[in-house]
Amino acid sequence: MSSPSRAVIETAIQSYQDPYLKQDLLSAGCVKSLEIDGGKVQLSVELGYPADGLVNGVAELLRTKINNVDGVEGCSVSVSWRVASAPVQGELEAFSNVKNIIAVASGKGGVGKSTTAANLALALAAEGARVGILDADIYGPSVGMMLGIADGTRPEVKNEKFFIPIQAHGLEAMSMAFLITEDTPVVWRGPMVSGALQQLLTQTVWNNLDYLVIDMPPGTGDIQLTLAQKVPVTGSVVVTTPQDLALIDAKKGIEMFNKVNIPVLGVVENMAVHICSNCGHSEHLFGEGGGTRIAEQFGVDLLGALPLSMMIREQVDSGTPTVVAEPDSQITMIYRDMARRVAAELSLKNSQAAAAPTISFSDD
């Protein structure tokens, strides 16, 4: 039997479409090496997004496809992943200790944005990434409570200037709540709030993060403008409910990010459906399909649709969000799928930026 050709092996590899990169691994540039020695094949693949929950399954799928090629006597497949820095807006320079900054925002309050931010950060960490979370809701910080960090916990200070982030469930966390008490209201004007956000970002010693998730306050005010103009953001996620009022504000949020050249990685639809815990009847209390409609309108992905669930609320209130409290639950699987989608979208943007032509001028 003759040895398989490289073209035939590559065709077998291309028959697998990565569900997050939305293309085959060869076209996506994920094939790092392919060696063919007679009937023996060795393949090395490196995904551009964290995927601890996928790598074994992907390796097995590729191994099966290659072994089915005529002439292949044995196949070795290794699948790994590596996170690179995606481009940021304008002329801003990326932080040296943070590869990607993801802003989680909403047009209005009460749509579950902070819960989404916390579970998204934990889901990225569950896939193997180094992740931090910054609570940028200066007026109503809640991430510390959601992560089970006790009121009164204070970050260590380095060189009388820099904050050491607090560790919680494998995340590095920083929040204005760590500098004040729960009973202390923040009565500041816009410039003071914007300055506080910049301090929290730049004076926190983040430890070589793959992703820093920023839980934004609702709306499109001073903090959002500061983020757009002075913080190197690689992408944003907009959270909404299917309710018409929430969708109107979510559209404003998407339009704001588009105007300041921060890519919208997708939309998360919270409270999409309620399933009765007694009879199992499902009901769309806040409307149906709203997240899908605005995602289609703006040409972005619907990253996930989450149910109106008492479990999600109870778990964040207790300081152990769903991804930590119920790691094998269906809801956690939605969050992890969402995390891969967000990370893969950033990976694609990084690849597109790397492939863009460089234009130079000379006097010749």
Side-chain angles (χ1 to χ4, degrees):
M1 184 180 293
S2 60
S3 301
S5 67
R6 187 179 187 90
V8 173
I9 298 298
E10 288 182 347
T11 299
I13 296 169
Q14 288 177 303
S15 68
Y16 170 73
Q17 294 282 313
D18 184 277
Y20 300 101
L21 299 173
K22 302 171 187 174
Q23 58 187 314
D24 69 84
L25 298 175
L26 206 61
S27 300
C30 295
V31 174
K32 293 306 171 185
S33 67
L34 174 59
E35 298 177 8
I36 304 170
D37 182 10
K40 303 292 185 182
V41 178
Q42 285 189 325
L43 172 66
S44 175
V45 169
E46 184 180 79
L47 302 174
Y49 59 93
D52 277 4
L54 289 183
V55 290
N56 291 336
V58 173
E60 185 58 35
L61 279 170
L62 291 171
R63 194 176 298 116
T64 299
K65 288 179 178 295
I66 294 172
N67 278 327
N68 286 336
V69 173
D70 289 342
V72 172
E73 299 171 359
C75 176
S76 171
V77 178
S78 67
V79 179
S80 60
W81 57 265
R82 183 179 66 87
V83 176
S85 300
V88 300
Q89 77 276 30
E91 301 298 320
L92 295 175
E93 292 187 10
F95 292 159
S96 61
N97 53 351
V98 178
K99 291 180 181 178
N100 298 282
I101 295 179
I102 302 168
V104 178
S106 66
K108 70 188 299 294
V111 298
K113 168 188 54 61
S114 295
T115 299
T116 299
N119 276 297
L120 175 62
L122 289 165
L124 287 165
E127 292 295 337
R130 296 180 62 89
V131 186
I133 185 167
L134 173 70
D135 193 343
D137 194 346
I138 305 295
Y139 294 115
S142 58
V143 166
M145 182 190 74
M146 289 183 172
L147 295 178
I149 299 170
D151 183 34
T153 301
R154 299 287 181 262
E156 293 182 18
V157 179
K158 181 179 180 182
N159 298 332
E160 299 183 354
K161 181 179 180 181
F162 298 101
F163 299 117
I164 305 299
I166 293 171
Q167 301 288 325
H169 302 305
L171 302 180
E172 296 185 7
M174 191 61 201
S175 170
M176 178 59 68
F178 303 157
L179 308 178
I180 58 176
T181 67
E182 286 183 354
D183 299 325
T184 305
V186 176
V187 187
W188 290 348
R189 294 188 183 274
M192 294 178 67
V193 174
S194 300
L197 171 62
Q198 284 185 270
Q199 277 191 293
L200 287 177
L201 265 171
T202 59
Q203 292 181 213
T204 298
V205 187
W206 307 107
N207 187 15
N208 297 320
L209 300 179
D210 293 314
Y211 303 98
L212 174 62
V213 175
I214 301 183
D215 177 28
M216 299 294 297
T220 54
D222 288 329
I223 288 185
Q224 286 78 5
L225 290 174
T226 296
L227 190 86
Q229 295 170 353
K230 298 182 179 180
V231 179
V233 180
T234 47
S236 61
V237 172
V238 175
V239 182
T240 186
T241 67
Q243 187 179 13
D244 288 342
L245 288 175
L247 293 172
I248 290 170
D249 290 330
K251 290 177 184 178
K252 292 177 183 177
I254 294 174
E255 288 170 346
M256 177 199 69
F257 284 122
N258 286 338
K259 285 181 179 178
V260 297
N261 297 317
I262 293 176
V264 178
L265 305 174
V267 173
V268 176
E269 185 181 83
N270 257 342
M271 310 178 200
V273 63
H274 174 255
I275 300 174
C276 178
S277 56
N278 290 325
C279 67
H281 172 70
S282 63
E283 191 171 9
H284 297 274
L285 298 178
F286 296 102
E288 185 176 0
T292 300
R293 291 196 299 274
I294 64 169
E296 291 175 349
Q297 178 182 344
F298 289 94
V300 298
D301 284 344
L302 178 67
L303 298 171
L306 290 147
L308 177 61
S309 168
M310 185 182 296
M311 181 182 76
I312 296 176
R313 193 270 304 166
E314 289 175 341
Q315 288 166 343
V316 293
D317 282 355
S318 69
T320 53
T322 306
V323 173
V324 174
E326 299 281 347
D328 298 319
S329 69
Q330 182 180 1
I331 291 175
T332 292
M333 294 303 106
I334 295 174
Y335 281 123
R336 290 186 68 163
D337 181 72
M338 184 192 309
R340 296 185 200 115
R341 290 180 186 278
V342 168
E345 191 66 28
L346 286 174
S347 173
L348 287 171
K349 293 187 181 304
N350 181 58
S351 300
Q352 291 163 2
T358 302
I359 302 174
S360 61
F361 299 90
S362 69
D363 296 329
D364 295 341

